[in-house]
Amino acid sequence: MKIKTLTLAAAITVGLVGAAEARDQIRVVGSSTVFPFSTAVAEQFGKSTRFSTPVVESTGTGGGMKLFCSGVGEDHPDVTNASRRMKKSEFEACTTNGIDITEVKVGFDGIVIANAKRGPDLNLSLEQIFLALATEIPQGGKLVANPNKMWSDIDPSLPAQKIEVLGPPPTSGTRDAFVEIAMEGGCKTLAGAADLGLKKKACHAVREDGVYIEAGENDNLIVQKLEANPAAYGIFGFSFLDQNADKLKGATVDGTVPAFEEIAAGNYPVSRSLFFYVKQQHVGVIPGIQEFVTEFTSEDAWGPDGYLIDKGLIPLPDTDRAAMAKQAQGLQPLSM
Amino acid sequence: MTDPTIDQPITRKPDFSATHLRKRYRAEARFKFYGVAAIFAALAMLAILLGSIISTGSSAFTQTEIALDIKLDAAKIDPDGTRDPESLARANYRTIVRDAMRAQFPEVSGRRDLRKLYKLVSTGSDFTLRQIVEADPALIGTTQTIWFKSSADLDQLNKGAIPRDVPEGDRRVNDAQITWFDALSDDGRTRRSFNTTFFTSGDSREPEQAGVWGAVVGTMLTLFVTLVLSFPIGVMSAVYLEEFAPKNRWTDLIEVNINNLAAVPSIVFGLLGLAVFLNFFGLPRSAPLVGGLVLALMTLPTVIIAGRAALQSVPPSIREAALGVGASPLQTVSHHVLPLAMPGILTGTIIGMARALGETAPLLMIGMVAFIVDIPRGFTDAATVLPVQVFLWADAPERAFVERTSAAIMVLLAFLILMNLAAVLLRRKFERRW
């Protein structure tokens, strides 16, 4: 009995001591939007080099920043992914903890409004998106609770069909980007909105009267629901439209179809940039970071024929990409 | 003197009439029917759930493969002729596979078309070939017919998940690829074989190379830590509280707290794990050790409550008899009460473990919701668990992950059934009747 207890105690101690040994795996945290690309690079990197495959966590952009900026040392991640640029407050948090950062912009991601193939075609402007989904809209010189029930209430040219939109909940980065680009964009050009105090953050309020349905973070689920209900529209990332082009079609926004070429050329209005950030203090300490950055920014990965494009990444224009690769591989420090 | 106004006590005579009796029988029949209907409703739900999972998931257990005649040219693989493993590993297998595809379809030319052609086989084909050559260097210099996994898109086409009858622009495979694939099929160069990769490899971004083994090993490691911690601690707590502790305000307080803890949402334990195990003790992120610790905290209240209930159900006569023949309290508990309570304790433990098996929320906080390719080799390696794997695949855009998600759920259910089976067998072994 005593011997058993001793062995158990020894086993636990060994386990705990073993934990303290140096880390030889790169650790990546951050945005779930960049996750598919980051993991693809990690896998390729693990297969083609002598380093072990990096561990990629999907923590969301904000959560990733918090972990990334919490300090230097092997308990803290080496790279964080982001579906938006690092905020000034986050940069300051990093600087306070003695972290120098290299910023790498990897490409674009489009956010689409799509419905089932057998549903009607939709031609929207950003203004109409705002009018369809905002909590309050200007009407007759004052703000009223959004009265629009049918698409045709907004504009007679739109289909006479109930507005029913499935989209991500407020915790999602896709939602953040959508309200920031589409809703705020529509609000900005809407006549009389700014005078009524509808600007910036005030435009971000999405209606909660059952017209906009929070369908969870899982975009595949939205795709399935759209298939079952041709009257509904869904909001999600371009890669899901790309993968399900046989079932869904994207709504035209401001006259531009959500297609690969249009997003890459910057014509499609609802698109955002994707980034990752590297902790310079860890380069040379955790093996392989420099090589990981080189792999991510190689033409084989993020070029127009690269494997990330197959995963749904929309590449930077050629000149930007070359400049960004040089900057990333030289680990140029970020300043704000 | 009598009071004529006083009431006779009302005697209720039982109603033996045939109508009343029929009513009573009907009520009973209805009640039985409700019970049976409830069971059937539950069974129907289960059947729908299992049916939908199995019907979408079972196709993931097979994988489309394509045979290519590979010329293992010695000049390309091992120019020095040394058969040195280092130089074998360095050879460019990708071009060898691509040359074979071009030889199969000599009419294809142009960069765009060739790219489409190369996409027929999985991007992992060069690694497959490398493994074959490394395992048997004697093959160098010969021409071999080797089966490669097809790419996930063609696999989906072959399984009918990607329709052929939609316009070319609307599907992931174009007309040329379909023609090539059909030509290969007519030639007997395609087959659907059992998908061993799914059971032997870790996660991958390429659906055809993704497997659950990494998650299964991670689950086993995590649950082992959970069991080793929660079972002895839980049983000891239950035995002390039930058999030895005095009944006073302190033990009441502890009891109330344990009952409350059993109902605490699991994410709270994750936050606790983050604060205590990662930030204070500095244990590694994503490790099964930490996952097991967190899940053990979550499981403990369940084990203690079930353990106490099991101990309570042991008849007092057993204790009294043991004490009466001169056993010490320790002997009473360890020789008589505990063995008799063991089946109940095991049931409680298994319920707790089954709950732990299904958790993802607390693991999110400690970094086990992650993309991990390498199979974990120990308690401190980065690992993930089966429900997390299901969650990650459910969120992946690639069409082929839909069937793999359902297949992973089937593996998870099989794991659960095995665990429950073990519990039932153990129960049988220890079961006593009195």
Side-chain angles (χ1 to χ4, degrees):
Chain A
M1 196 69 189
K2 209 169 220 169
I3 294 169
K4 264 191 197 163
T5 326
L6 278 178
T7 351
L8 190 69
I12 290 174
T13 326
V14 169
L16 293 180
V17 171
E21 77 195 18
R23 173 154 71 84
D24 66 342
Q25 254 171 340
I26 300 175
R27 305 214 57 137
V28 184
V29 294
S31 162
S32 53
T33 314
V34 191
F35 181 80
F37 312 128
S38 201
T39 47
V41 173
E43 191 177 347
Q44 186 63 30
F45 173 78
K47 274 185 187 164
S48 59
T49 64
R50 63 200 157 78
F51 303 106
S52 46
T53 310
V55 171
V56 187
E57 273 181 59
S58 166
T59 61
T61 303
M65 289 288 180
K66 218 168 149 187
L67 287 167
F68 180 77
C69 290
S70 58
V72 174
E74 57 180 56
D75 295 342
H76 304 286
D78 314 309
V79 174
T80 186
N81 299 321
S83 57
R84 54 164 169 78
R85 201 153 185 243
M86 185 179 255
K87 288 182 192 160
K88 193 142 178 63
S89 58
E90 289 162 344
F91 177 73
E92 278 157 8
C94 260
T95 320
T96 320
N97 286 325
I99 298 164
D100 293 318
I101 311 160
T102 297
E103 179 185 66
V104 186
K105 187 172 169 182
V106 291
F108 305 106
D109 173 43
I111 299 173
V112 300
I113 302 173
N115 63 337
K117 272 260 138 107
R118 59 209 155 99
D121 289 334
L122 198 60
N123 245 313
L124 289 171
S125 66
L126 289 182
E127 264 174 49
Q128 287 166 342
I129 294 177
F130 177 77
L131 289 175
L133 297 177
T135 319
E136 287 184 317
I137 59 168
Q139 206 170 53
K142 58 177 191 283
L143 283 180
V144 294
N146 197 338
N148 297 323
K149 291 270 176 265
M150 313 276 280
W151 288 103
S152 49
D153 292 346
I154 303 168
D155 191 302
S157 69
L158 294 175
Q161 193 183 34
K162 229 178 84 188
I163 307 177
E164 193 180 347
V165 179
L166 304 164
T171 44
S172 145
T174 310
R175 163 82 167 254
D176 286 350
F178 179 77
V179 294
E180 225 159 83
I181 304 163
M183 301 278 285
E184 200 180 314
C187 181
K188 219 182 279 172
T189 52
L190 194 65
D195 305 332
L196 291 166
L198 272 186
K199 46 191 158 192
K200 297 259 147 114
K201 281 254 154 73
C203 303
H204 292 187
V206 172
R207 63 201 289 190
E208 285 167 349
D209 53 359
V211 167
Y212 180 89
I213 302 152
E214 283 175 9
E217 299 258 14
N218 188 332
D219 289 347
N220 270 328
L221 207 66
I222 300 184
V223 170
Q224 284 174 17
K225 285 181 179 162
L226 292 183
E227 250 187 292
N229 178 4
Y233 293 82
I235 297 171
F236 43 82
F238 172 72
S239 47
F240 286 86
L241 178 64
D242 191 36
Q243 288 276 346
N244 294 292
D246 55 333
K247 298 173 184 166
L248 305 176
K249 60 184 173 191
T252 311
V253 178
D254 278 353
T256 315
V257 289
F260 181 85
E261 293 76 18
E262 298 287 353
I263 302 171
N267 296 333
Y268 184 74
V270 199
S271 76
R272 55 177 161 169
S273 309
L274 305 176
F275 300 87
F276 72 89
Y277 294 87
V278 184
K279 200 175 277 178
Q280 292 185 356
Q281 277 80 359
H282 285 192
V283 178
V285 181
I286 308 292
I289 296 181
Q290 174 79 54
E291 290 81 356
F292 178 75
V293 173
T294 309
E295 173 67 43
F296 211 134
T297 56
S298 69
E299 283 295 295
D300 271 351
W302 74 351
D305 290 335
Y307 56 84
L308 291 182
I309 310 309
D310 290 337
K311 296 274 157 224
L313 181 76
I314 293 158
L316 298 172
D318 290 353
T319 47
D320 290 10
R321 211 169 52 240
M324 188 52 80
K326 208 166 146 232
Q327 186 184 326
Q329 289 164 20
L331 293 171
Q332 205 176 84
L334 171 72
S335 55
M336 257 184 196
Chain B
M1 204 173 84
T2 54
D3 190 347
T5 59
I6 198 161
D7 288 333
Q8 288 289 311
I10 304 166
T11 48
R12 277 167 152 260
K13 268 196 239 150
D15 184 358
F16 287 125
S17 70
T19 38
H20 184 73
L21 215 56
R22 266 207 303 281
K23 218 171 128 194
R24 285 177 52 147
Y25 282 138
R26 270 209 305 276
E28 194 177 317
R30 266 203 308 278
F31 189 73
K32 269 191 198 158
F33 171 75
Y34 294 150
V36 172
I39 287 175
F40 270 100
L43 281 179
M45 298 290 173
L46 187 68
I48 291 170
L49 177 75
L50 286 180
S52 76
I53 290 173
I54 292 172
S55 67
T56 46
S58 53
S59 57
F61 297 127
T62 58
Q63 163 73 39
T64 307
E65 291 184 327
I66 293 175
L68 291 175
D69 293 330
I70 298 284
K71 221 171 112 200
L72 294 165
D73 194 347
K76 273 185 185 155
I77 298 172
D78 191 17
D80 311 334
T82 54
R83 300 291 190 264
D84 173 29
E86 277 280 305
S87 74
L88 287 186
R90 263 204 312 274
N92 192 345
Y93 294 101
R94 182 174 300 179
T95 32
I96 299 174
V97 175
R98 289 186 171 181
D99 287 346
M101 304 217 52
R102 274 217 297 276
Q104 188 70 37
F105 294 101
E107 73 280 7
V108 180
S109 62
R111 217 169 84 82
R112 272 190 92 83
D113 284 350
L114 280 174
R115 264 177 60 82
K116 289 279 177 209
L117 178 65
Y118 299 152
K119 277 192 184 157
L120 291 185
V121 294
S122 162
T123 52
S125 298
D126 40 339
F127 296 98
T128 316
L129 184 58
R130 189 175 104 188
Q131 278 163 3
I132 290 171
V133 171
E134 281 175 347
D136 187 6
L139 293 176
I140 297 172
T142 61
T143 298
Q144 296 287 329
T145 304
I146 296 174
W147 289 95
F148 292 100
K149 288 183 193 314
S150 78
S151 67
D153 285 336
L154 275 169
D155 181 47
Q156 293 300 297
L157 177 85
N158 193 28
K159 288 172 181 168
I162 291 181
R164 286 164 179 253
D165 53 359
V166 295
E168 187 177 13
D170 289 351
R171 49 180 145 75
R172 295 275 302 169
V173 284
N174 68 5
D175 290 345
Q177 283 175 313
I178 293 181
T179 320
W180 294 327
F181 183 77
D182 290 343
L184 286 170
S185 297
D186 294 343
D187 220 11
R189 286 181 173 273
T190 62
R191 68 172 183 196
R192 268 174 78 172
S193 64
F194 184 69
N195 188 358
T196 34
T197 310
F198 185 76
F199 294 98
T200 54
S201 73
D203 198 2
S204 169
R205 285 306 308 163
E206 304 302 330
E208 73 273 12
Q209 294 163 39
V212 288
W213 186 239
V216 169
V217 173
T219 304
M220 288 196 279
L221 292 172
T222 307
L223 286 185
F224 178 77
V225 174
T226 306
L227 184 67
V228 161
L229 286 173
S230 66
F231 186 69
I233 297 177
V235 171
M236 281 317 293
S237 313
V239 166
Y240 179 77
L241 284 174
E242 203 51 49
E243 303 288 329
F244 296 101
K247 293 270 172 275
N248 60 25
R249 194 175 295 186
W250 289 111
T251 47
D252 283 350
L253 190 72
I254 289 172
E255 197 178 330
V256 168
N257 273 312
I258 289 174
N259 289 339
N260 278 338
L261 273 179
V264 165
S266 55
I267 185 86
V268 176
F269 291 102
L271 285 166
L272 182 81
L274 176 68
V276 176
F277 300 130
L278 294 190
N279 294 346
F280 187 73
F281 286 115
L283 292 176
R285 267 182 89 80
S286 317
L289 176 68
V290 183
L293 284 167
V294 168
L295 293 178
L297 289 181
M298 200 192 78
T299 318
L300 258 181
T302 319
V303 176
I304 296 175
I305 291 171
R308 293 189 63 180
L311 289 168
Q312 272 166 11
S313 69
V314 175
S317 54
I318 302 273
R319 293 186 188 83
E320 281 155 16
L323 292 172
V325 295
S328 71
L330 174 64
Q331 286 170 327
T332 309
V333 169
S334 58
H335 294 174
H336 302 282
V337 180
L338 203 51
L340 288 173
M342 210 30 104
I345 295 176
L346 283 176
T347 310
T349 310
I350 286 295
I351 292 172
M353 295 295 286
R355 194 181 148 205
L357 175 66
E359 279 298 338
T360 54
L363 303 179
L364 183 71
M365 307 310 299
I366 54 166
M368 286 184 83
V369 179
F371 173 75
I372 293 157
V373 175
D374 302 333
I375 312 284
R377 282 172 314 240
F379 291 105
T380 53
D381 279 1
T384 187
V385 293
L386 275 168
V388 170
Q389 194 65 72
V390 171
F391 169 75
L392 288 176
W393 283 353
D395 219 18
E398 287 85 359
R399 180 79 57 91
F401 273 123
V402 173
E403 59 175 29
R404 276 166 181 78
T405 306
S406 293
I409 294 174
M410 283 154 77
V411 173
L412 179 66
L413 288 178
F415 204 102
L416 192 70
I417 291 171
L418 278 180
M419 262 173 63
N420 283 342
L421 203 68
V424 170
L425 290 178
L426 281 174
R427 266 185 75 110
R428 282 268 175 79
K429 196 167 159 0
F430 288 115
E431 191 97 78
R432 294 278 186 287
R433 296 209 172 272
W434 48 76

